[in-house]
Amino acid sequence: MPETQRDEDAVRRYVESLGLVLSQIGMQRMAARVFAALMTTDEGQLTAADLATQLSVSPAAVSGAVRYLEQVGLVTKVREPGERRDHYRLYDDLWYATFLKRDRFLIMWRDAAEEGIDALGADTPAGKRLAEMQDFLSFVLKEITSLYDRWHEERSRQRAAEA
């Protein structure tokens, strides 16, 4: 397969554009830029020094951003054999892994609602609001499992068609 030439100026503009979109939907600005930089590398991983250079920011800014991205399950820290520097890598099957981690948050949120219903009383206005939240989160958790299954079936079909 012939190697594709990249317009590095266009890539840099796209990294900033994607970072801006991600920050507009709630991601921390620097984390959004770091995530965008990782998404646009063919390898799907970079060192903190590479990220700092590419984004023209301090290593401290990168450190905080990757810490946030690790916490929300978008990147993982890896060490290449024989190297002393950490690399930050996108997860394989990134979207599935990320949303699976969100399941745990939804479960914790649903369980916290249940605790609140017990504390406030199911018949109080606040207890009813929490019951509505708990019901919604229970529904989402039930439906998301089916969604994950359908996603894997779809990806399997796509990969089989590509082979």
Side-chain angles (χ1 to χ4, degrees):
M1 227 174 156
E3 188 174 316
T4 304
Q5 285 290 77
R6 290 170 39 134
D7 178 343
E8 292 303 323
D9 285 334
V11 171
R12 276 190 288 282
R13 285 191 304 274
Y14 177 70
V15 165
E16 294 305 321
S17 175
L18 178 58
L20 181 59
V21 168
L22 294 172
S23 67
Q24 288 173 337
I25 61 173
M27 188 181 284
Q28 296 174 359
R29 176 78 173 126
M30 185 53 59
R33 292 180 70 212
V34 167
F35 181 75
L38 287 168
M39 285 293 292
T40 59
T41 64
D42 288 338
E43 299 80 16
Q45 73 177 31
L46 292 167
T47 66
D50 293 337
L51 286 162
T53 300
Q54 181 176 337
L55 298 172
S56 301
V57 298
S58 72
V62 170
S63 176
V66 295
R67 187 171 32 258
Y68 169 82
L69 292 169
E70 283 180 297
Q71 288 172 349
V72 298
L74 292 174
V75 302
T76 186
K77 187 184 329 186
V78 296
R79 183 150 303 169
E80 294 294 318
E83 287 196 23
R84 299 178 77 184
R85 297 187 308 169
D86 292 326
H87 289 73
Y88 297 96
R89 183 180 76 202
L90 299 171
Y91 279 101
D92 295 331
D93 208 356
L94 171 68
W95 303 112
Y96 176 76
T98 299
F99 278 85
L100 195 59
K101 185 170 184 171
R102 295 280 181 224
D103 273 8
R104 292 192 299 271
F105 296 143
L106 291 174
I107 290 167
M108 291 169 58
W109 196 359
R110 182 204 56 206
D111 293 349
E114 183 176 345
E115 183 180 332
I117 295 165
D118 292 343
L120 297 165
D123 293 332
T124 66
K128 289 177 182 177
R129 278 194 303 274
L130 287 172
E132 179 74 18
M133 182 171 74
Q134 180 190 29
D135 290 347
F136 175 76
L137 293 169
S138 292
F139 172 79
V140 168
L141 285 162
K142 182 179 72 172
E143 291 298 312
I144 206 161
T145 300
S146 169
L147 185 65
Y148 292 150
D149 292 343
R150 290 195 330 260
W151 166 248
H152 282 291
E153 290 170 11
E154 176 67 19
R155 288 301 293 151
S156 293
R157 278 194 296 276
Q158 289 173 352
R159 289 180 177 150
E162 292 170 0

